[in-house]
Amino acid sequence: MFDVIEMLGHSGHDLRSSIILTYGLDLPLYDGLVRRALNRVGVWNQVVFCDLSCYIQDIQAQTAALHAGKQYSVTPIWQAGAFHPKVYLLLGPRHGRLLVGSGNTTIGGLIRNAEVLGLFDFDADKASGPHVAFPALFGLVEELSLRASDTVRKQIKSARQMAPWLSSPPVEDGRKILIGGPGKPELLTQIAECLPTKKADELVICSSSFDRELNGMRKLLPLSKAKPVCIVQPDHIEVDGRAVQKLGASVVWRPFADPYPPEKRQRKDVREHAKILLFGHGATETCIFGSANASAPALSATNTEVVVVLPPASKGEIVKHLGLAASLKANSVEKELGEKLWPPAMDERPESKFKCLLSAVAAVESGYRLSLASGEPPKNSRLALSDRCTARPSATTAIHREGDSFVAHSVKSEDAFRFGWIASESGDALSNPVGITWPSVGSQRRAGGSAGTKAGDYVSAMQDGAVLGTVLFELLDQFRDFEVIKIGSGKRSGSEKEKVDQTEGATEQPAEFFYTDAKSDAVNGHHWTGDRIDLDILASLVQPLSPMGGSQTLKDEDETYDDSRLEKEEAEHRQIEAQKGKATGEEKQRHSDTSGEKLEKAISRLERRLDRAAASIEKSLEYVEDLQSLAPNGVARQIWMTHIGAFLANRITESSDGEEFICLHPWCFANYVLRVCRALAGSKKAGGFLDKVAKSSWEGFDGDALTKGLSFLWTCVKWAAAYMVHYYSNGEGKEEIPESIAVASAELVAARFIWKVRAHCAQADQGNLKKRFPASDAVPPAQMSRTETRLQQLAQLIADVETSGNKSLLGLESDTTSLKAGSLVHNPKLGVTMLAMEGGCRPYRLVDLSHSSDEPVKFGALVTPVLFKGKPYELFQRTEESTV
């Protein structure tokens, strides 16, 4: 078992180009982790090809990948079947590295799932020629480049020129690469030709996907004398129970058992995503693995697939190597599968939604050149341009034919645009959106970045569960834990230090524990965590729902990192790895990374991250009414950041000179939580982003994970409301006025969020808060109890007024003029909200949580008090008006 990020970023080779073929693509993961890992080892020419359907879903769910089209190109591929390979090809003047397998370029595929990948290396100083896999797959890449933009074709041409050894006579080592897809021989036929006999004695199948009629399984039956054994994950696969029943006893179905060593098994819900065919022939067995599931489109020539055929091995060797023995011995799950229902088709094919399909919009000297995967732009259509992926373009420009291609003229402020799509004169979208590809994508850049070994190591350490496949869900609730140190937001006072020292328990795990696999009571001697965990890498996986576009003023944080420091950290980390996690103390130079000055710089970087994420989702409220639906990732990324922030809030770290710091001030975290919950919940008519999550997203594995994440956010928002009430009423902020309407209306925000999530979550997740959320006790117990009671009352009032329509809870509109600022009121558009200023004369100023601004909105009428036990209900509010 190996770390894919480690294999990509730490080959020890001189590499310049990377070409990735993937079905699913997580753009924030690539932008924040993979790109940086490749950049830092010198790979500047980066190319990605992915499936068009998956690309459309990902690009519409978020727009956080700020370097897409500028530091790497992404070309979506459209075809009748799925573009389904998983290939990672790295090339340099004298070296090459190739990974082929089942893992997509997603958090699940690279970090979390049970995947199988094969490694091919080339070193010109040690081999006469490359393995045949290198030229074979580069040939596939050149075929794909014919569907890409001129810019991408130049990238592919540069990759070949920088790796002249690709043209050398290839060598073989017994492994074979098979490529299936349109215009190629049927993949199953290619597989059968590689087998030593026409019919195997036995067949073991691992697959994560099937066609509805199980025709792929039926195609495999004739290749085995014995009944094939198929290993699946019943909870996560989609099969039609009727098709399983029709196959009957001709297939043996076994449940997947996690092969990860029990002593290191941290993942509660690992996803089996490997695709394996294991043919037994007497005393030997032949293993085929790669991207192809046991489905008809994969085994025919419909999907584009890449698989590896291994040379014959001794019988039982592959099963032992892959840890499949427990799965093969498990009880049958045929009955369970036979009861499953095939889910209704939810996603339309792209060609059914758009008149034409775009694969690229490339910026050229005169404007933009369009690459079409299907169809042509209708007459008088225009290229819509925007800094975000919405149906409201910032600018449009006419499209015209130029030879065999279509081009559009440039427009002003073109640097602010990141996305383009074809639209009609009336503004209707005629094509899918794509990220703009800029000429700079193929330009050589200085190697550098911040991912490093540590990012891969620490992200890998967080394989504890998932929100939609992320490693960050329930970040600290499982063993082993993830210790974040050396990130601060303020020095601790003497009183704070004394208080913490007195409350620390004897069983508290030392920081050293979190870097090793040892149990807490087994940690002895000199153990320590790395000096610097790059929280920004983690935060890059949690990018905002939508960036701030042209208003973005933050400097590219890639440029702020010290590469020499990262190189030193790598060496230190590798030395500790060689010592099995035990440090002697000689590996690390404390003075370089742990000074107070270093910590203070980390403080501002972390706080900027939180503020930028909150500001971005708030600004995106401008578009909430335009959204038809929101992919769950749009919500999940906010949950990920909440887990990181909760872990850091009020956590203590120490500099090399003994000065103690608070990792993240509780106010900063409470501020983030309230602002995010404001955008997720919104007001009545426009709603918030939670209202835009499709009904189907609340079902199945993703729905369960999303619900669990929101349950923890429920805990955080209750705490955040109590914290802010105390802070501005009796704490340090008695003389301060918050800038954010979400903070000034903390109780309203929390109550509306709780009301929304109660439909999906049974209760708030308060498990193990001491470890997961150190700031949970930063609010006086009396205040916490009082706030929880009030939030229950408020949530019930909202439910009774907005859902039940109980008008007896509403007073007279004429009474509104005498209400104080902060009074709970009702308006047909906003639902239950509150007065931002004294009632007085109309118009009334009300809090609109669906509005992107922090300013109250004006209503001249239809504003009535909301009554609790017959009296107006007054909420906490902290504004200039409410403190007069």
Side-chain angles (χ1 to χ4, degrees), residues 583-617:
T584 64
E586 297 177 356
E587 301 86 354
K588 120 188 207 181
Q589 301 177 26
R590 294 178 180 272
H591 65 275
S592 62
D593 293 322
T594 61
S595 68
E597 182 182 357
K598 297 278 187 183
L599 297 183
E600 288 174 359
K601 288 182 178 178
I603 291 169
S604 60
R605 188 164 65 242
L606 171 59
E607 292 181 349
R608 284 200 309 271
R609 276 286 186 181
L610 286 168
D611 184 68
R612 185 172 73 176
S616 293
I617 192 172

Side-chain angles (χ1 to χ4, degrees), residues 419-666:
F419 302 95
W421 62 93
I422 299 172
S424 65
E425 288 185 292
S426 61
D428 295 330
L430 302 178
S431 81
N432 58 289
V434 295
I436 297 173
T437 304
W438 300 88
S440 60
V441 77
S443 302
Q444 185 171 359
R445 296 176 299 278
R446 180 182 64 85
S450 62
T453 304
K454 303 187 83 65
D457 292 336
Y458 288 110
V459 172
S460 296
M462 296 185 295
Q463 302 176 84
D464 302 311
V467 172
L468 313 171
T470 175
V471 294
L472 298 179
F473 179 64
E474 291 189 333
L475 180 63
L476 305 165
D477 199 25
Q478 317 299 323
F479 174 82
R480 91 186 141 175
D481 297 332
F482 177 60
E483 179 70 356
V484 178
I485 65 171
K486 310 309 179 199
I487 305 292
S489 65
K491 300 177 183 178
R492 292 171 62 204
S493 65
S495 60
E496 287 176 319
K497 179 179 178 182
E498 182 180 356
K499 180 180 178 182
V500 173
D501 289 344
Q502 290 173 351
T503 58
E504 283 182 349
T507 59
E508 184 71 13
Q509 296 165 335
E512 295 81 6
F513 168 67
F514 299 98
Y515 193 77
T516 71
D517 286 328
K519 296 291 185 182
S520 181
D521 56 3
V523 176
N524 299 304
H526 300 283
H527 293 262
W528 52 278
T529 61
D531 279 350
R532 174 177 173 273
I533 293 173
D534 194 345
L535 185 68
D536 292 307
I537 293 295
L538 300 181
S540 71
L541 306 182
V542 197
Q543 290 284 4
L545 179 72
S546 181
M548 299 179 67
S551 62
Q552 180 76 299
T553 58
L554 287 177
K555 182 182 178 182
D556 182 357
E557 294 185 4
D558 279 1
E559 302 303 319
T560 68
Y561 298 114
D562 183 345
D563 291 339
S564 63
R565 179 176 64 175
L566 289 167
E567 290 171 3
K568 179 166 52 182
E569 285 178 346
E570 280 185 31
E572 293 167 356
H573 173 65
R574 291 180 184 281
Q575 189 174 348
I576 294 172
E577 277 187 333
Q579 295 159 189
K580 297 182 178 180
K582 197 165 187 175
T584 64
E586 297 177 356
E587 301 86 354
K588 120 188 207 181
Q589 301 177 26
R590 294 178 180 272
H591 65 275
S592 62
D593 293 322
T594 61
S595 68
E597 182 182 357
K598 297 278 187 183
L599 297 183
E600 288 174 359
K601 288 182 178 178
I603 291 169
S604 60
R605 188 164 65 242
L606 171 59
E607 292 181 349
R608 284 200 309 271
R609 276 286 186 181
L610 286 168
D611 184 68
R612 185 172 73 176
S616 293
I617 192 172
E618 287 176 323
K619 186 172 179 62
S620 295
L621 283 169
E622 293 178 25
Y623 303 93
V624 70
E625 291 189 86
D626 294 336
L627 283 175
Q628 295 300 313
S629 64
L630 175 68
N633 264 338
V635 175
R637 296 189 190 286
Q638 310 306 324
I639 295 172
W640 305 345
M641 184 66 100
T642 301
H643 278 279
I644 295 173
F647 179 52
L648 292 171
N650 233 26
R651 189 169 293 272
I652 307 304
T653 190
E654 185 177 298
S655 66
S656 57
D657 57 4
E659 203 169 16
E660 291 189 323
F661 288 76
I662 298 174
C663 290
L664 178 65
H665 194 283

Side-chain angles (χ1 to χ4, degrees), residues 210-216 218 240 242-244 246-247 342:
F210 302 87
D211 59 276
R212 180 169 184 170
E213 300 299 326
L214 293 178
N215 288 326
R218 295 180 186 278
D240 190 331
R242 292 175 298 178
V244 174
K246 286 181 181 179
L247 273 182
W342 186 262

Side-chain angles (χ1 to χ4, degrees), residues 258-565:
D258 188 355
Y260 208 70
E263 68 274 11
K264 294 185 178 182
R265 189 174 296 164
Q266 298 107 26
R267 301 168 295 179
K268 292 193 306 182
D269 53 358
V270 61
R271 298 292 293 270
E272 186 278 311
H273 193 252
K275 299 92 166 60
I276 304 167
L277 297 175
L278 187 57
F279 295 89
H281 306 273
T284 65
E285 57 190 15
T286 302
C287 179
I288 294 97
F289 66 89
S291 66
N293 285 297
S295 70
L299 297 176
S300 64
T302 304
N303 290 356
T304 296
E305 309 277 4
V306 177
V307 300
V308 178
V309 182
L310 297 180
S314 300
K315 186 175 179 62
E317 182 179 339
I318 301 297
V319 169
K320 181 179 179 181
H321 183 75
L322 295 179
L324 296 177
S327 298
L328 293 174
K329 294 176 182 177
N331 294 327
S332 171
V333 290
E334 179 182 348
K335 182 178 179 182
E336 181 179 350
L337 296 179
E339 296 172 350
K340 292 180 75 71
L341 298 176
W342 186 262
M346 299 301 297
D347 297 324
E348 298 179 79
R349 287 279 297 176
E351 61 268 28
S352 68
K353 294 189 288 186
F354 302 109
K355 292 187 176 180
C356 49
L357 298 178
L358 268 179
S359 60
V361 172
V364 294
E365 288 186 7
S366 58
Y368 304 92
R369 188 174 297 275
L370 283 60
S371 298
L372 286 115
S374 173
E376 291 188 358
K379 187 178 180 180
N380 298 325
S381 58
R382 303 180 69 81
L383 176 64
L385 300 164
S386 179
D387 66 332
R388 61 189 68 228
C389 206
T390 70
R392 187 186 301 173
S394 303
T396 64
T397 180
I399 297 173
H400 61 278
R401 183 184 289 275
E402 189 177 276
D404 294 331
S405 60
F406 292 89
V407 297
H409 291 299
S410 60
V411 294
K412 293 182 179 179
S413 305
E414 62 179 17
D415 288 344
F417 303 137
R418 298 183 54 225
F419 302 95
W421 62 93
I422 299 172
S424 65
E425 288 185 292
S426 61
D428 295 330
L430 302 178
S431 81
N432 58 289
V434 295
I436 297 173
T437 304
W438 300 88
S440 60
V441 77
S443 302
Q444 185 171 359
R445 296 176 299 278
R446 180 182 64 85
S450 62
T453 304
K454 303 187 83 65
D457 292 336
Y458 288 110
V459 172
S460 296
M462 296 185 295
Q463 302 176 84
D464 302 311
V467 172
L468 313 171
T470 175
V471 294
L472 298 179
F473 179 64
E474 291 189 333
L475 180 63
L476 305 165
D477 199 25
Q478 317 299 323
F479 174 82
R480 91 186 141 175
D481 297 332
F482 177 60
E483 179 70 356
V484 178
I485 65 171
K486 310 309 179 199
I487 305 292
S489 65
K491 300 177 183 178
R492 292 171 62 204
S493 65
S495 60
E496 287 176 319
K497 179 179 178 182
E498 182 180 356
K499 180 180 178 182
V500 173
D501 289 344
Q502 290 173 351
T503 58
E504 283 182 349
T507 59
E508 184 71 13
Q509 296 165 335
E512 295 81 6
F513 168 67
F514 299 98
Y515 193 77
T516 71
D517 286 328
K519 296 291 185 182
S520 181
D521 56 3
V523 176
N524 299 304
H526 300 283
H527 293 262
W528 52 278
T529 61
D531 279 350
R532 174 177 173 273
I533 293 173
D534 194 345
L535 185 68
D536 292 307
I537 293 295
L538 300 181
S540 71
L541 306 182
V542 197
Q543 290 284 4
L545 179 72
S546 181
M548 299 179 67
S551 62
Q552 180 76 299
T553 58
L554 287 177
K555 182 182 178 182
D556 182 357
E557 294 185 4
D558 279 1
E559 302 303 319
T560 68
Y561 298 114
D562 183 345
D563 291 339
S564 63
R565 179 176 64 175

Side-chain angles (χ1 to χ4, degrees), residues 53 62 115 228 306 343 359 467 598 647 683 706 728 800 840:
S53 296
Q62 49 70 42
E115 309 277 11
V306 177
S359 60
V467 172
K598 297 278 187 183
F647 179 52
S683 295
L706 187 59
Y728 287 105
D800 290 341

Side-chain angles (χ1 to χ4, degrees), residues 13 23 50 75 226 313 386 738:
H13 296 331
Y23 173 66
C50 66
T75 301
S386 179

